[in-house]
Amino acid sequence: MLRLFSWMKTKTRSFSDEKIIPYVFTLSDGPMLFRDLLKTNKMYQEGLKLEGKIPGFRLSIGRSYLVFIGLWHLFILPVSIVFHPFLAKIDCHLLIIMAILFTGMFFATYAIFKEYLIDTVALKIIRHAWENHFPHFDYELHAAEVAKIYSDALEKEIPHKNMQLYILDKLVEKN
């Protein structure tokens, strides 16, 4: 059972990466600048909202709604078919209240879906830029450390032209 769940999770993630993300997002082919990488990594590590603050991608709201409506229907149609005999006998006032609740759930889950997509693409862009600017440092091990060093550099008002050298020196010192 665990193997099946793991397989489904892998297939879902690959479908999302290969089909949904390229359809919903427009990604830039150009590399991310070093200062943009530092700023974006810091925001990502601190858990801040990333929508509209990361250079290199644009979300198509219309396409994201289309994808979400398709996914929503994959969930809601089988449930409504199974519960149809019960729903057919319910009072219409209760059905109106249920419709209001499901509409609220639709928009709330869309917000979660959109944030998930943005975080996924942001991490993908950050990792790609990380390979360009920090090829000798593993992202998983050093991302939080670089965010902290960057915050310290901003507090110390290190000039941008010296920022890369400052961060690399601090990374080498700690390792």
Side-chain angles (χ1 to χ4, degrees):
M1 186 69 170
L2 186 61
R3 182 177 275 168
L4 175 66
F5 181 71
S6 176
W7 178 80
M8 286 175 50
K9 185 177 177 183
T10 304
K11 289 294 183 182
T12 303
R13 183 162 287 148
S14 68
F15 179 75
S16 173
D17 288 344
E18 295 170 9
K19 303 290 184 199
I20 294 175
I21 289 175
Y23 180 71
V24 172
F25 289 94
T26 303
L27 301 175
S28 172
D29 292 334
M32 183 182 267
L33 297 174
F34 184 73
R35 78 182 128 196
D36 292 336
L37 169 63
L38 294 175
K39 189 186 322 179
T40 304
N41 181 55
K42 181 178 178 289
M43 288 188 310
Y44 185 81
Q45 294 297 322
E46 292 175 353
L48 298 176
K49 187 175 178 182
L50 300 172
E51 183 179 6
K53 296 179 182 168
I54 299 177
F57 77 89
R58 186 178 60 84
L59 171 70
S60 172
I61 299 291
R63 288 182 175 191
S64 68
Y65 268 115
L66 285 175
V67 169
F68 184 71
I69 288 169
L71 294 173
W72 179 264
H73 279 86
L74 283 175
F75 168 74
I76 203 74
L77 285 178
V79 171
S80 64
I81 289 170
V82 168
F83 289 107
H84 183 267
F86 174 72
L87 293 172
K89 296 176 184 173
I90 294 180
D91 181 39
C92 68
H93 294 94
L94 185 57
L95 286 176
I96 292 170
I97 292 171
M98 287 177 62
I100 292 169
L101 291 175
F102 273 93
T103 303
M105 279 180 28
F106 174 82
F107 288 107
T109 53
Y110 172 74
I112 294 168
F113 172 74
K114 188 170 107 176
E115 287 297 319
Y116 168 76
L117 285 180
I118 290 171
D119 285 347
T120 302
V121 171
L123 183 60
K124 185 177 179 181
I125 289 172
I126 291 169
R127 285 177 182 267
H128 183 68
W130 188 274
E131 291 173 7
N132 288 338
H133 296 290
F134 296 107
H136 303 293
F137 297 97
D138 184 46
Y139 176 78
E140 299 295 329
L141 297 174
H142 301 287
E145 186 178 353
V146 168
K148 183 171 178 356
I149 294 170
Y150 177 63
S151 295
D152 293 342
L154 290 176
E155 286 178 14
K156 292 179 181 177
E157 298 178 0
I158 303 292
H160 177 67
K161 63 182 180 182
N162 299 336
M163 186 73 69
Q164 188 169 7
L165 182 61
Y166 177 80
I167 290 174
L168 288 173
D169 284 345
K170 292 293 183 180
L171 276 174
V172 171
E173 276 179 21
K174 292 184 179 185
N175 294 317

